[in-house]
Amino acid sequence: VKRNYRKSEFVKDALAKSNIASQILQYNSVGNKNVDTKKLVNQSFKLADYYLNILDLPDSSLTVYDQIINNKATMKQKIDSLKIEISAISNSEDSLLIAHRDSLELSLQKFSKIFNLYENHFVPFAYFLKLWIYKNVKKDSINAAQTFKVLEEEFSSDKYYYAAKKVMSNQKIDEIISPEEKEMIRKY
């Protein structure tokens, strides 16, 4: 389109969709395993936003959010296996095993920080966005209520739960903040 129909009204739209397609291919490529987890998750959120707002594919957005949520369990398993492996060689005096144990402990610290970020930010945010799509885009009150219930049961003190309460009661969301954070800001 860009080469053969430069003056076409569809050039801008075609370029935007081409950009999205390359983002999707880049996201799904297997060679990206060494990418920083935080950046990768933020790319996932960006991809879900593209699916929803540019391609008008809310189900694809929901799938991306489910992948983010499901990664929490995968990360928990990785942390547990690292702990088991560290425990198995903890009493060794072999210098190679000690070096390996130190490397495993560094990996455990890294994964624990990432898991904490997942647990306290990425997962509740993904649930909130799913709720928003169910409620406002798909008009699916059953799935919206089920998603809200998960937020209520698992993240009742999280800022995304409070924002979800506003979404469920059709209130405008002027800020996403928990009452505790709001009180801290007020005191500050």
Side-chain angles (χ1 to χ4, degrees), residues 72 119 123-124 127 150-158 161:
K72 178 184 166 190
E119 196 169 44
V123 172
Y127 275 117
V150 171
L151 277 166
E152 187 175 41
E153 290 173 355
E154 295 183 27
F155 306 100
S156 62
S157 62
D158 192 88
Y161 165 69

Side-chain angles (χ1 to χ4, degrees), residues 16 26 33 65 79 105 130 180-181 185:
Q26 185 179 10
K33 296 303 178 193
Y65 296 137
I79 288 171
E105 286 175 348
K130 282 181 65 171
E180 293 82 15
E181 290 171 319
I185 291 170

Side-chain angles (χ1 to χ4, degrees), residues 8-55:
S8 170
E9 63 187 275
F10 302 109
V11 169
K12 186 176 179 181
D13 192 40
L15 288 173
K17 289 185 178 179
S18 171
N19 182 34
I20 294 163
S22 69
Q23 290 270 343
I24 292 168
L25 290 171
Q26 185 179 10
Y27 169 79
N28 288 321
S29 72
V30 241
N32 270 344
K33 296 303 178 193
N34 292 330
V35 177
D36 176 37
T37 305
K38 187 174 179 178
K39 287 181 184 176
L40 188 60
V41 175
N42 285 329
Q43 282 297 96
S44 297
F45 281 118
K46 186 177 172 183
L47 176 63
D49 187 54
Y50 282 143
Y51 277 136
L52 180 66
N53 294 312
I54 296 175
L55 297 178

